[in-house]
Amino acid sequence: GAVVSQHPSWVICKSGTSVKIECRSLDFQATTMFWYRQFPKQSLMLMATSNEGSKATYEQGVEKDKFLINHASLTLSTLTVTSAHPEDSSFYICSASPATSYNEQFFGPGTRLTVL
Amino acid sequence: DAKTTQPPSMDCAEGRAANLPCNHSTISGNEYVYWYRQIHSQGPQYIIHGLKNNETNEMASLIITEDRKSSTLILPHATLRDTAVYYCIVRGGATNKLIFGTGTLLAVQP
């Protein structure tokens, strides 16, 4: 149990285009989902926390107009990288906390974004 | 959240115990110690967590010092598949955010 999926697993896009990444909790309902970014040879950096039905809370330094997060249901959150540029190329990882277990957090497999 | 300090890298022979240390000297009373690991190009995987008592599960043991200022994750019989970056994270209070530090790259050698 407690599986989190991400789609796509990798994406290549041209500079200036927008890319949407989906995060799904497959066998549980997640009231809270988190989005992280990881550059090569670096640690995970928390970007934002999203709660179902409300606006996401962004970490300091993360542009909310560039990284649009929608958490419209208890099993799906999406991250849209708007007007992507090469410096947005990174590994994007989501995680989800079950509604029944606030302290647990399960991670998705990640999405590799490459912006040309 | 309290900050953690871990060695950047460690080696361990296959079949031997791997002992990964973590310092969290500023931990407060209601904060837990969590351990996750990340195998290359995958999402992090939960290992174990504890408050003040030692904990054990099918993956590992967690030893927390009495003053709670440090802890050790023990993988009793390391295998090549345990090669990963291991993150020690302190979390508690009203937040369920996980703030990742730099972690320890454990290399299990054949």
Side-chain angles (χ1 to χ4, degrees), chain B residues 2 4 6 20-25 27-36 46-53 55 62-65 68-73 87-92 98:
Chain B
T4 62
Q6 298 177 252
L20 293 94
C22 179
N23 286 323
H24 31 78
S25 58
I27 193 170
S28 47
N30 64 347
E31 290 181 315
Y32 286 76
V33 179
Y34 281 76
W35 284 84
Y36 282 78
Y46 167 81
I47 301 173
I48 199 167
H49 76 281
L51 182 63
K52 53 184 178 181
N53 296 323
E55 303 287 345
L62 173 61
I63 309 298
I64 303 174
T65 58
R68 303 211 319 126
K69 293 185 177 182
S70 66
S71 60
T72 301
L73 178 74
Y87 295 99
C88 167
I89 302 167
V90 170
R91 189 186 89 179
L98 292 173

Side-chain angles (χ1 to χ4, degrees), chain A residues 32 34 36 38 42-44 46 49 59 91 93 97 102-105 107-109 112, chain B residues 34 36 38 41-46 87 91 93-102:
Chain A
T32 305
F34 303 85
Y36 297 81
Q38 186 174 34
Q42 294 187 24
S43 185
L44 284 79
L46 179 65
T49 302
E59 295 298 304
F91 193 49
I93 306 169
S97 284
Y102 173 81
N103 282 317
E104 291 188 280
Q105 203 171 126
F107 285 81
R112 176 79 55 192
Chain B
Y34 281 76
Y36 282 78
Q38 185 180 26
S41 293
Q42 297 182 24
Q45 176 190 22
Y46 167 81
Y87 295 99
R91 189 186 89 179
T95 179
N96 61 347
K97 295 194 295 187
L98 292 173
I99 305 299
F100 285 78
T102 53

Side-chain angles (χ1 to χ4, degrees), chain A residues 6 13 15 28 70-72 74 76 78 92 100 102-103 108 110 113:
Chain A
Q6 285 184 237
C13 70
S15 186
F28 66 97
N70 183 279
H71 191 166
L74 286 173
L76 173 64
T78 60
Y92 291 87
T100 55
Y102 173 81
N103 282 317
L113 170 63

